[in-house]
Amino acid sequence: MALGEFDLIGKYFTRSTPRAVLGVGDDCALLQPAPGQHLAVSSDMLVEGRHFLSTVRPERLGHKALAVNLSDLAACGARPLAFTLALALPRVDETFLAGFAQGLLALADQHGIELVGGDTTAGPLNICITVMGEVPPGQALRRDGARAGDALWVSHPLGGGIGDARLALEAFRGQISLPGDDFETVRRAMEQPQPRVALGLALRGLATAAIDVSDGLCGDLGHILRRSQVGAVIQASQLPLSPVLARQARPLQLDCALAGGDDYELLFTAPPDRQAEVLAAGQAAGVGLRCIGQLRAEPGLVLHDDQGGLQALSARGFDHFAG
Ligand code: ADP
Ligand code: MG
């Protein structure tokens, strides 16, 4: 017999929550943020077919659902505290639920964030997580603090680069074909992004603005530029590429790195004289950092291409995939 709603919650989503005053099982969870801290709150929804493919392993889906939310806390420089999980399930499939909960809760444990509540209902597969984190007043990384002259930085996996998630999507769609090992490498980038929480914390007081790359580097940078009322030049030659992406044709490399989404790396700005501190923050967080350009007073986004020419990028980003 299929598990009932409350048995399902009890079996898969109820755990001890030592940092919360009250966790799963009552009408509300009760949280006690550290005195004087701001609460940082963000939600992200994942819809089957739009944000993930039905072929994804449940463990990886559980991981990704929380990872994309933790990435928002990272981009704010907030320390993870608690999250809620609202889940619509087409049927009670215990193989799916066990894998999903395992991937979700393993990542939660890695980041010391507690599942304190949620909602469970029947319906087309849909996962909505709300994360809460703490940040000292005045220290949150925001989108509106970038200044002309700041250096533009992007994080990347050590030994890797940006754009791999997009390359995987192109392979899934049959637009390109990749050798088996390469496919598995980029598929992992797409399905199991690593939220840069430690980097976000290390960038407090150092980055002037930050955002996580979910929709594509150019588009997400556009948010910083508009909110900060500045422009930027990106050096194509400085974009960090993984060995797999580096083996592709140059136009595809640029499309994936500049317009691909789903990287969940941090894109941020910092004063140029703080380069050594930025690099130290990356090292402490165990991630690669690359300076890919500079902010300037003149509005708009410009690409300094491989030939040394300047190419204007539209406000909506650099998206050869669109349309
Ligand atoms: P209510 O009807 O009062 O909203 P529910 O019956 O929906 O409460 O949920 C019972 C308890 O289980 C609540 O504490 C709720 O936060 C929690 N809960 C429901 N679904 C989930 C879930 N998917 N993950 C974690 N906690 C959940
Ligand atoms: Mg409810």
Side-chain angles (χ1 to χ4, degrees):
M1 205 185 81
L3 218 55
E5 176 189 339
F6 297 106
D7 296 330
L8 182 163
I9 297 165
K11 184 166 176 185
Y12 294 108
F13 301 118
T14 306
R15 310 166 83 217
S16 78
T17 49
R19 293 171 72 199
V21 179
L22 186 61
V24 170
D26 215 302
D27 293 310
C28 291
L30 298 176
L31 306 176
Q32 176 66 73
Q37 299 271 312
H38 281 173
L39 202 55
V41 180
S42 179
S43 295
D44 253 318
M45 190 186 297
L46 271 74
V47 176
E48 183 168 13
R50 178 151 189 95
H51 301 103
F52 61 91
L53 305 171
S54 56
T55 49
V56 65
R57 280 182 17 214
E59 291 82 355
R60 291 192 180 180
L61 183 59
H63 173 104
K64 184 164 181 175
L66 182 58
V68 303
N69 278 278
L70 284 169
S71 182
D72 286 317
L73 289 182
C76 267
R79 188 181 296 284
L81 176 64
F83 71 105
T84 61
L85 169 67
L87 202 53
L89 297 168
R91 70 196 78 83
V92 177
D93 173 348
E94 289 211 54
T95 306
F96 173 85
L97 279 166
F100 178 82
Q102 189 195 27
L104 177 90
L105 297 173
L107 185 65
D109 289 344
Q110 260 180 47
H111 291 276
I113 188 168
E114 295 180 345
L115 176 57
V116 296
D119 199 22
T120 306
T121 178
L125 185 55
N126 187 320
I127 305 155
C128 182
I129 288 180
T130 297
V131 283
M132 286 150 274
E134 296 172 333
V135 62
Q139 287 193 37
L141 308 178
R142 301 165 47 139
R143 297 177 179 182
D144 58 5
R147 290 177 296 240
D150 281 353
L152 177 66
W153 295 85
V154 69
S155 65
H156 59 88
L158 290 171
I162 54 172
D164 281 7
R166 184 59 198 229
L167 188 63
L169 188 59
E170 292 302 295
F172 266 110
R173 288 178 172 169
Q175 300 296 315
I176 53 156
S177 80
L178 293 173
D181 286 355
D182 285 0
F183 179 62
E184 278 312 311
T185 303
V186 295
R187 177 181 190 170
R188 184 172 282 271
M190 178 175 97
E191 295 180 347
Q192 277 193 304
Q194 300 300 322
R196 302 305 185 192
V197 174
L199 178 62
L201 293 173
L203 290 175
R204 283 181 185 169
L206 189 53
T208 48
I211 191 168
D212 63 320
V213 179
S214 55
D215 294 336
L217 191 147
C218 285
D220 288 325
L221 175 58
H223 294 302
I224 288 184
L225 300 185
R226 275 188 296 279
R227 294 292 294 271
S228 301
Q229 297 188 290
V230 287
V233 184
I234 293 179
Q235 308 291 336
S237 62
Q238 295 308 307
L239 294 166
L241 304 180
S242 70
V244 177
L245 187 53
R247 284 194 282 277
Q248 309 305 311
R250 187 61 173 157
L252 182 61
Q253 291 174 11
L254 293 178
D255 283 350
C256 287
L258 292 172
D262 261 9
D263 283 321
Y264 300 99
E265 295 294 346
L266 293 190
L267 181 66
F268 62 93
T269 57
D273 59 356
R274 302 195 72 181
Q275 172 170 350
E277 292 161 88
V278 169
L279 290 172
Q283 235 166 17
V287 300
L289 290 181
R290 186 74 69 83
C291 178
I292 58 167
Q294 203 177 38
L295 301 208
R296 56 184 197 172
E298 195 181 326
L301 179 54
V302 164
L303 182 70
H304 197 146
D305 65 27
D306 297 328
Q307 287 71 43
L310 293 178
Q311 202 181 319
L313 300 175
S314 83
R316 285 189 52 244
F318 177 84
D319 201 351
H320 292 164
F321 299 117

